[in-house]
Amino acid sequence: DIILLSSLFKEIKKCFPKADVDFLTSTTFSQVCSNNPHINRILALDRKNGSRELNRIIDEVRQSKYDLVLDAHQSLRSRLLLIKSFGILKRQKPNIERINKRSLKRNLLLATKINLFKSAISQRQAYCKLIEKYCGDIKIDFSTELFPTEEDSNKIAQYMAKLALKQKKVVAIGP
């Protein structure tokens, strides 16, 4: 999911070139985006530290005074964070856009093979839909990007050489 989100970061910067883009993610995944030039700051949530850590992040979010918040996860944790950070009825809260996970349709399709999707969109497109209405006529590019460190690139090259994949094309497929 973090890699699929990379198109969203790029498109935010395209639509809002002067915007500061902060990204909240688990410490487990924060390294994947640490080199991304479209992200100004990563807020890394260490889930092992429970509510104390969540409260620390909530304080950081409150102090940042965001204009726009994109919830690309729609989890119970992200909903709780948004409510605790901005309240339910506060007049001064930022615009908040939440991803449509299409959960009911997806679960029906998986459980019963009943397909209620009129047209399918990729996860990258679903993420980018969060900012579509703010971008006007700007064409959205859904391509993903990775920005590995030099150390990471060297590790990958060594691993591929070990597997004799150096001169071959490789496709990685994630669940």
Side-chain angles (χ1 to χ4, degrees):
D1 282 352
I2 302 294
I3 295 168
L4 295 176
L5 272 169
S6 68
S7 56
L8 178 61
F9 304 131
K10 177 181 57 179
E11 295 309 302
I12 291 170
K13 282 294 194 175
K14 187 169 32 172
C15 295
F16 304 103
K18 295 181 180 177
D20 285 335
V21 176
D22 293 351
F23 178 50
L24 170 61
T25 189
S26 167
T27 51
T28 308
F29 306 114
S30 61
Q31 278 303 112
V32 174
C33 294
S34 65
N35 235 19
N36 189 321
H38 309 299
I39 298 173
N40 296 87
R41 181 171 70 135
I42 295 176
L43 303 171
L45 173 69
D46 188 349
R47 293 190 220 184
K48 293 180 213 155
N49 291 334
S51 62
R52 188 182 78 204
E53 177 72 354
L54 188 60
N55 288 331
R56 180 188 69 78
I57 293 290
I58 288 167
D59 287 342
E60 277 196 60
V61 168
R62 280 184 186 148
Q63 291 172 18
S64 296
K65 301 193 185 313
Y66 295 111
D67 297 313
L68 176 63
V69 174
L70 307 175
D71 182 359
H73 204 256
Q74 270 259 32
S75 67
L76 186 57
R77 184 180 289 113
S78 69
R79 289 177 192 176
L80 178 65
L81 186 135
L82 289 172
I83 289 170
K84 285 188 147 203
S85 296
F86 306 115
I88 296 174
L89 301 173
K90 281 189 183 175
R91 293 180 183 185
Q92 298 273 310
K93 71 180 181 181
N95 290 332
I96 298 172
E97 301 293 336
R98 293 176 177 90
I99 192 166
N100 178 358
K101 290 181 109 176
R102 306 160 299 187
S103 299
L104 177 63
K105 290 179 182 179
R106 191 176 63 236
N107 290 338
L108 268 172
L109 179 61
L110 293 173
T112 66
K113 307 293 186 248
I114 297 172
N115 187 356
L116 298 178
F117 288 105
K118 291 186 174 44
S119 62
I121 63 170
S122 72
Q123 191 61 43
R124 292 175 301 177
Q125 289 171 305
Y127 288 143
C128 287
K129 274 190 156 304
L130 291 168
I131 61 160
E132 220 171 38
K133 73 180 185 183
Y134 299 100
C135 294
D137 293 334
I138 296 172
K139 183 169 173 31
I140 302 292
D141 175 12
F142 304 111
S143 60
T144 55
E145 300 175 299
L146 274 179
F147 302 94
T149 63
E150 189 174 335
E151 180 184 345
D152 290 336
S153 294
N154 290 336
K155 284 180 185 177
I156 292 165
Q158 288 172 0
Y159 184 71
M160 290 182 70
K162 179 180 166 184
L163 296 176
L165 295 172
K166 196 166 182 114
Q167 300 301 318
K168 298 179 183 175
K169 290 185 179 184
V170 177
V171 175
I173 300 174

